[in-house]
Amino acid sequence: MGRIMSPVIEEINYSNKSLISLQGDLSVEKKGLIFEYPILYIVNDKKSDGYSVYVGETTDIIRRTNQHLVEDREDWLEFSSSDTTKMFIIGHNHFNKSLTLDIEHRLMLYLSSVDIVSSIQNRRGNPQNKYFTSDELDDIFNKIWRSLNRKNEYLFPAESIVRNSAIFKSSPFHKLTQEQVKAKDKIIFKITSALGSEDHGTLILVKGEAGAGKTVLMSSLVDDLLNSDDTKFIRENNSINLIVNHEDQLSVYKEIEKKLDWYSGSKLEVAMKPTQFLNRLRKEKIDAGIVIVDEGHLLLTSKNQAYQGGNHLKDLLEKSKVVVLVYDENQIMNKSQVWIDDSFVTLQLEAIQNDNYIELNNQMRIKASESTIKWIRDIIDNRVLDKLKKDSGYEIKIFDSAKELQDAIKFKDKNQNLGISRLIATYDWDYSSQSKPENKEFWCVEINDWSCPWNRELPRDKKYSKLSWIEQPQTINEVGSTFTVQGFDLNYAGVIIGPSVKYRDGKIIFDITESKNKGAVQNRKLENGKLENYGENLLKNELNVLLTRGVNGLFIYAVDDELQKALKESIL
């Protein structure tokens, strides 16, 4: 394969007149690439709330533009009636139909992740499989994006900025793996079957460990249910809702909902928290149609002040035609999320018997060898520390102090091309979002003479208010907890393992007396008045969330001397 040429990119006013003028201004070679080859185009208009954009591909840009200019559709009328609408036209000598479709899809993925983009008018991507020039996709796209960045750095920011955004990582425009495609097709088939039989409260379970690609699958599923022609009959008679009991992940979904103009045909927003959603159903005296639950392990199984229903999942099944629940039982974080009887096991068995059970087995986050992943899983699942050989693709390092760990994470975070790195810790230090500590400015993680603010303590700029904790720039000077990083990934995860995790007699143990996570370690009062404690298992789940955040590396410092010594000795 020879050297890949740079693309031809022209920016013009959005009009027939500008296209005609462009034909006369271009050289013969460029004119051929723009007007005789398949091309891509990006129509964009800068408004008060950000850019509205449309990405398309065509083999005849003049005919296609004429169609758009006369089309009686609200979004196109907005573009054609504005004096500030522009259009980028992108040509390349290697463009063919499949390649332009793939690049169109990736442009939608990138642009939907740009903060200044307020809406993406077209939402139907069409990712391709293998074709003659598919191996050139990455190189050609990178050249296109860099060229666009030079023309408008606000609409087309550096790739590292785009890829580090939480919206990018949760976007429905990601090209799914074969496992994810198979899972999505099965879910849609099962939804169709349930609606056809007029069943009520059908449960479809999707199980996957941390990093299995659950969130991208759910995001893509919701977008298909709302926009695909193949699912039109589903949404015509049913609302589509996406439920997640995680504040930061909900904020990401709300941004996607706004940018893509998700609409379910119901009185409710598409993305909501479960308590808010169920309370609204009761208030409006309506039932739900199709409910997709991300991070299903975070649903409540007991009453609280805001929600008197008792059990989120049971209530969702009672009020919905179909519930698709994606979950990982090893990420349950709070006693109020624990199933205290066998009812979930029964639901799981029923789903398996009805072929309504899907398991995702691919590890898509941690870019490490099988032996490295096994070393991490053995710490969490088997509470043992085996020997670990150096992994050329994944960096694991044990630090002698929290300060050295923090310095290393800050150094890694400076290289944003690889992604965001952050310091995170087990919940072993006092924290309250309702009050300030005595004689201190912030709640802090304190180890010997080292101190660092806990999550959400440092002041943040209002312009970052929509971003998740990991994306906000000031959080490089904080320590995050499971409550801020669950569901997200980091380039390098710097994990402080606090005093609740110890190493004794060759085994890792969990000491609930050292944890400050009251929701995990305090007793739960059962309906019969009996008190149960789930602390050790929930602290294990807490460690699971923290140790599985790093995409390219995991840095660790342990407060417990024996655990620190054992960790260092395990690395060969």
Side-chain angles (χ1 to χ4, degrees), residues 28 57 97 143 183 189 255 290 318 395 465 472 543:
V28 173
E57 56 79 34
K97 181 69 171 179
K143 288 179 181 293
F189 173 75
E255 281 299 299
I290 316 302
E318 184 182 320
E395 188 177 3
S465 60
Q472 296 168 29
L543 189 65

Side-chain angles (χ1 to χ4, degrees), residues 54-68:
Y54 183 98
V55 183
E57 56 79 34
T58 183
T59 55
D60 189 336
I61 186 60
I62 293 178
R63 177 183 58 81
R64 187 64 174 141
T65 302
N66 283 334
Q67 286 178 339
H68 285 319

Side-chain angles (χ1 to χ4, degrees), residues 10 54 233 245 404 481:
E10 299 294 333
Y54 183 98
F233 73 99
N245 201 24
E404 290 178 40
S481 71

Side-chain angles (χ1 to χ4, degrees), residues 123-142:
R123 298 176 296 278
R124 288 166 46 197
N126 190 10
Q128 303 294 292
N129 293 316
K130 285 284 185 179
Y131 48 91
F132 179 62
T133 54
S134 60
D135 59 337
E136 298 179 352
L137 171 62
D138 290 343
D139 284 344
I140 292 176
F141 179 83
N142 291 341

Side-chain angles (χ1 to χ4, degrees), residues 232-278:
K232 186 177 180 181
F233 73 99
I234 294 177
R235 63 180 173 270
E236 280 182 342
N237 300 304
N238 300 285
S239 59
I240 312 295
N241 291 97
L242 174 58
I243 305 301
V244 61
N245 201 24
H246 187 290
E247 197 65 49
D248 278 344
Q249 188 61 56
L250 178 66
S251 67
V252 172
Y253 281 136
K254 296 300 287 184
E255 281 299 299
I256 294 174
E257 177 180 350
K258 186 177 72 173
K259 286 173 183 281
L260 303 189
D261 192 25
W262 278 353
Y263 175 64
S264 68
S266 76
K267 296 179 181 180
L268 308 180
E269 308 100 293
V270 171
M272 301 177 75
K273 293 186 86 170
T275 292
Q276 178 194 20
F277 179 65
L278 285 163

Side-chain angles (χ1 to χ4, degrees), residues 87-320:
M87 180 164 66
F88 290 97
I89 305 173
I90 306 165
H92 195 277
N93 64 338
H94 285 196
F95 272 179
N96 55 54
K97 181 69 171 179
S98 293
L99 183 57
T100 54
L101 285 170
D102 256 352
I103 295 176
E104 175 193 33
H105 191 81
R106 192 173 293 187
L107 282 168
M108 286 191 286
L109 167 63
Y110 273 53
L111 285 167
S112 66
S113 308
V114 174
D115 189 50
I116 202 171
V117 172
S118 58
S119 63
I120 301 282
Q121 300 295 356
N122 60 327
R123 298 176 296 278
R124 288 166 46 197
N126 190 10
Q128 303 294 292
N129 293 316
K130 285 284 185 179
Y131 48 91
F132 179 62
T133 54
S134 60
D135 59 337
E136 298 179 352
L137 171 62
D138 290 343
D139 284 344
I140 292 176
F141 179 83
N142 291 341
K143 288 179 181 293
I144 289 172
W145 192 265
R146 285 196 294 269
S147 296
L148 289 169
N149 169 257
R150 287 192 289 270
K151 291 179 178 292
N152 187 332
E153 63 180 335
Y154 301 104
L155 183 55
F156 308 101
E159 277 196 76
S160 59
I161 294 173
V162 176
R163 297 179 70 88
N164 284 337
S165 73
I167 289 179
F168 178 88
K169 294 167 184 176
S170 301
S171 173
F173 294 129
H174 278 284
K175 194 170 184 175
L176 302 184
T177 64
Q178 287 187 339
E179 182 182 56
Q180 289 171 316
V181 170
K182 185 177 178 181
K184 185 170 75 169
D185 289 346
K186 181 175 180 178
I187 293 168
I188 293 174
F189 173 75
K190 287 295 180 178
I191 290 173
T192 304
S193 299
L195 295 177
S197 62
E198 297 186 353
D199 288 344
H200 191 88
T202 297
L203 177 63
I204 301 169
L205 289 177
V206 183
K207 183 178 181 180
E209 292 183 349
K214 301 187 294 297
T215 292
V216 166
L217 171 59
M218 292 303 103
S219 180
S220 177
L221 172 64
V222 171
D223 198 59
D224 267 14
L225 290 174
L226 291 171
N227 295 303
S228 173
D229 290 340
D230 296 334
T231 60
K232 186 177 180 181
F233 73 99
I234 294 177
R235 63 180 173 270
E236 280 182 342
N237 300 304
N238 300 285
S239 59
I240 312 295
N241 291 97
L242 174 58
I243 305 301
V244 61
N245 201 24
H246 187 290
E247 197 65 49
D248 278 344
Q249 188 61 56
L250 178 66
S251 67
V252 172
Y253 281 136
K254 296 300 287 184
E255 281 299 299
I256 294 174
E257 177 180 350
K258 186 177 72 173
K259 286 173 183 281
L260 303 189
D261 192 25
W262 278 353
Y263 175 64
S264 68
S266 76
K267 296 179 181 180
L268 308 180
E269 308 100 293
V270 171
M272 301 177 75
K273 293 186 86 170
T275 292
Q276 178 194 20
F277 179 65
L278 285 163
N279 286 342
R280 287 280 295 277
L281 289 179
R282 289 191 176 90
K283 182 179 179 181
E284 301 285 343
K285 295 181 180 180
I286 57 174
D287 282 351
I290 316 302
V291 178
I292 314 299
V293 184
D294 194 12
E295 305 282 353
H297 40 269
L298 300 181
L299 293 180
L300 297 179
T301 62
S302 66
K303 297 179 181 179
N304 65 14
Q305 286 184 331
Y307 185 66
Q308 297 300 309
N311 184 298
H312 277 155
L313 179 55
K314 289 181 179 179
D315 293 343
L316 286 169
L317 288 170
E318 184 182 320
K319 299 288 288 182
S320 311

